[in-house]
Amino acid sequence: MITNDSKQDTILILGGDGYLGWSLGLAFAHRTDDNIVLVDNLIKRKWEKEVDAKLLLPIKKPKTRIAEYKRIYGKDNLSFEKVELLEQEDVAKVIRKYRPTVIINAAQQPSAPFSMMSPKHTAITFSNNILGHLNVLWSIAQIDKSISYIKLGTAGCYMDTDTDFVPLGKKNFTFTHQGKQHNILNSFIPMQATDFYHQSKISDFLIDDLCASLWGLKVMTVQQSTVFGATIEENQAPEHAGLSARFNYDAVFSTVLNRFVCQLAIGHPITVYGDGKQKTGLISLSDTVDNFMRFAKTDIKPGKHMVVHNYTMRLSIDEIAQKMVEIDPKIKVDYIRNPRNEGSGKLQKKVQVHKLVKEPMAKKDENLKKELSNLLTFTKRYKDNIDPSIIMPKVEWSVEQKLNEAKEAQSLSTYRTYLKGKLTGRLISTTPKS
Ligand SMILES: NC(=O)c1ccc[n+]([C@@H]2O[C@H](COP(=O)([O-])OP(=O)(O)OC[C@H]3O[C@@H](n4cnc5c(N)ncnc54)[C@H](O)[C@@H]3O)[C@@H](O)[C@H]2O)c1
């Protein structure tokens, strides 16, 4: 556990009701004397209702969780503000009110399947992930350029980039065209998404870069890999359950390892999409939080967009499934049709890491074991809440597949009802059987 109480700061955590935002807020508040303000519009609670994404353990309202934090830890340095990031004046108002030294932005639509559900869901993803982000950058530029802005990015930006190496920051590249060599100087590696969510994250990454240089802001993008785990030290004990973070285990909002551990907990076959050769960066929730404590105390240079890759290991989906088999040799692994158009990870990508994240990497095997065991204990504790029908994938990437389904559902106007039925696990057939 990292602690750092050398200097008292005010830190705004945007997305403070979310999986990462709440965990960061709780850790920062408990481990430092900083004043931590969680900011959120609670929209995720509505999106979860829309797709029937039940939580493993229902979470209370932010103010109730904060009161529980005060009761358990006897500290008064955690608070909540309900703010819609799409309202620029409200964003500016909360920044003026608290005058933070650091703003961490984890307030986004974080799901690839959600972004692929319909044109409306793509639009929601782009507006939240880009316009909300721009409102924060504009506010910082207008109010106080000394604020350090730490933005959650994603390692998935490089998902479809056919490379064997992902460097940190800008590099010089050489390429050949019609037999001649050409150079691209001082540029980021090309990023390539396979869904609209990751495409929105590529755009907001480039916006970070633009605003840092345009206005001389202090910006760090954390290219965050897939997070697993439910708890950190502050909320691991059963009697601290009132401090739990949101834990999604459904096919729309959950991350892969969290979903697999829930399947393991109820003895359900582990469902791997495709052949499972696709690779993902992985990091535990505890390591993520520890690393963010370092990021928040880092001196970010004005105008120099700092990029950090936050990950400890890279595994294929099948390797993750095999970790479940190691825990329970009786568990079956099912390879199901992959609804996503994703590459199979033919190259062994190496990812350059910053010295700020080297420490947890050195202990990655030991940490993985410990974190998996904590996660399994947590999921088993609440396994009676698991609804297996929401774990299977229901959102197709292919438009043709969607249209076929719509045809089956007779018309596009009934497709939404049809899709909603699929998402909630209640398959509504609008085609009368003749
Ligand atoms: N969880 C992961 O494994 C993972 C991996 C890589 C990157 N990330 C990134 O981390 C960030 C947080 O992810 P998470 O898993 O904690 O998601 P989450 O959905 O649990 O939390 C996001 C929070 O942001 C809030 N929010 C969304 N739009 C908002 C708006 N317009 N105004 C105010 N609040 C708003 C939501 O209500 C929610 O509480 C995202 O940017 C995501 O892309 C997450």
Side-chain angles (χ1 to χ4, degrees):
M1 177 170 89
I2 303 284
T3 56
N4 192 335
D5 47 9
S6 53
K7 183 172 151 269
Q8 202 178 349
D9 288 320
T10 292
I11 303 182
L12 248 54
I13 301 188
L14 316 181
D17 191 46
Y19 172 59
L20 294 183
W22 169 259
S23 307
L24 291 172
L26 179 62
F28 275 74
H30 176 232
R31 299 176 200 178
T32 71
D33 286 328
D34 294 341
N35 176 30
I36 309 301
V37 185
L38 306 172
V39 175
D40 206 295
N41 65 351
L42 308 184
I43 187 72
K44 180 71 177 291
R45 292 170 184 246
K46 290 193 184 131
W47 293 335
E48 283 164 344
K49 278 208 182 102
E50 189 190 347
V51 304
D52 205 22
K54 299 163 191 137
L55 298 180
L56 182 61
L57 176 65
I59 49 170
K60 297 266 183 334
K61 288 183 183 141
K63 289 206 166 140
T64 313
R65 290 201 279 174
I66 289 168
E68 185 66 355
Y69 163 76
K70 281 183 194 158
R71 187 188 70 76
I72 293 174
Y73 291 110
K75 292 180 81 176
D76 201 11
N77 61 341
L78 187 61
S79 58
F80 176 74
E81 290 277 351
K82 189 168 178 194
V83 177
E84 166 59 81
L85 294 191
L86 296 174
E87 296 294 338
Q88 205 267 328
E89 288 194 357
D90 294 346
V91 176
K93 211 159 127 191
V94 79
I95 295 178
R96 278 205 187 90
K97 178 171 170 187
Y98 289 98
R99 290 288 177 163
T101 38
V102 179
I103 298 178
I104 298 177
N105 188 354
Q108 295 199 312
Q109 191 302 96
S111 153
F114 186 91
S115 76
M116 300 301 286
M117 276 168 58
S118 73
K120 186 188 105 180
H121 294 89
T122 304
I124 290 173
T125 304
F126 273 79
S127 61
N128 275 277
N129 297 5
I130 294 176
L131 303 181
H133 170 47
L134 275 166
N135 284 340
V136 182
L137 283 159
W138 264 105
S139 304
I140 293 174
Q142 290 178 331
I143 298 168
D144 182 359
K145 291 187 181 179
S146 74
I147 296 172
S148 291
Y149 182 50
I150 305 179
K151 169 77 182 49
L152 258 300
T154 168
C157 287
Y158 315 110
M159 197 183 300
D160 217 28
T161 304
D162 209 354
T163 180
D164 58 358
F165 184 63
V166 180
L168 265 179
K170 293 181 176 169
K171 293 282 173 277
N172 299 332
F173 299 92
T174 303
F175 66 99
T176 309
H177 176 66
Q178 295 180 340
K180 274 195 178 164
Q181 261 202 2
H182 303 274
N183 301 315
I184 300 173
L185 303 181
N186 197 26
S187 180
F188 288 113
I189 188 170
M191 296 174 207
Q192 191 75 45
T194 55
D195 59 77
F196 291 124
Y197 156 68
H198 286 100
Q199 188 60 51
S200 76
K201 302 291 287 182
I202 292 174
S203 308
D204 71 29
F205 175 92
L206 295 173
I207 289 169
D208 279 335
D209 198 62
L210 171 67
C211 294
S213 62
L214 195 65
W215 295 325
L217 304 188
K218 296 183 182 179
V219 182
M220 177 196 287
T221 310
V222 178
Q223 294 295 64
Q224 175 71 40
S225 53
T226 308
V227 185
F228 70 94
T231 53
I232 53 174
E233 285 195 26
E234 281 75 5
N235 54 14
Q236 233 154 54
E239 60 275 22
H240 292 182
L243 298 180
S244 292
R246 132 180 300 125
F247 185 86
N248 295 115
Y249 68 94
D250 65 292
V252 175
F253 287 120
S254 173
T255 53
V256 59
L257 202 150
N258 287 352
R259 209 166 50 231
F260 282 179
V261 171
C262 284
Q263 292 183 315
L264 185 70
I266 56 169
H268 188 285
I270 308 297
T271 44
V272 170
Y273 299 173
D275 61 8
K277 292 212 173 104
Q278 338 57 303
K279 290 205 170 57
T280 181
L282 271 181
I283 185 164
S284 71
L285 185 59
S286 302
D287 284 343
T288 301
V289 161
D290 281 359
N291 289 348
F292 265 85
M293 301 213 51
R294 296 189 185 93
F295 303 156
K297 299 291 171 185
T298 298
D299 187 19
I300 305 169
K301 300 273 172 291
K304 297 251 176 252
H305 176 204
M306 184 174 172
V307 183
V308 177
H309 297 142
N310 202 20
Y311 92 117
T312 47
M313 65 196 100
R314 238 178 136 250
L315 294 176
S316 73
I317 304 302
D318 194 39
E319 282 169 326
I320 300 174
Q322 295 313 319
K323 298 269 173 217
M324 304 299 118
V325 179
E326 277 171 31
I327 298 171
D328 177 0
K330 288 195 297 303
I331 203 80
K332 236 179 106 225
V333 179
D334 280 352
Y335 297 86
I336 60 171
R337 195 178 63 78
N338 191 347
R340 306 166 172 224
N341 288 345
E342 51 188 6
S344 60
K346 45 189 174 348
L347 289 174
Q348 290 285 346
K349 272 180 209 170
K350 274 215 172 76
V351 183
Q352 185 186 9
V353 292
H354 197 274
K355 58 180 185 307
L356 289 170
V357 300
K358 283 217 163 124
E359 198 182 304
M361 287 190 93
K363 297 180 287 178
K364 66 175 187 232
D365 293 329
E366 189 189 320
N367 283 2
L368 177 67
K369 266 201 193 128
K370 194 176 95 198
E371 295 296 333
L372 270 181
S373 150
N374 286 343
L375 177 55
L376 199 57
T377 306
F378 182 85
T379 47
K380 282 194 170 159
R381 201 183 293 153
Y382 304 108
K383 75 177 168 53
D384 291 345
N385 295 346
I386 296 176
D387 173 356
S389 76
I390 66 169
I391 303 182
M392 297 306 278
K394 314 258 178 1
V395 180
E396 296 288 341
W397 264 225
S398 146
V399 169
E400 286 73 24
Q401 189 78 23
K402 283 187 204 296
L403 290 175
N404 282 342
E405 288 181 352
K407 221 160 126 200
E408 230 177 79
Q410 277 191 326
S411 75
L412 271 174
S413 62
T414 53
Y415 178 59
R416 280 206 59 187
T417 330
Y418 172 79
L419 184 65
K420 172 105 178 121
K422 275 188 86 179
L423 288 167
T424 55
R426 295 187 308 268
L427 245 168
I428 302 164
S429 172
T430 51
T431 318
K433 293 263 176 294
S434 53

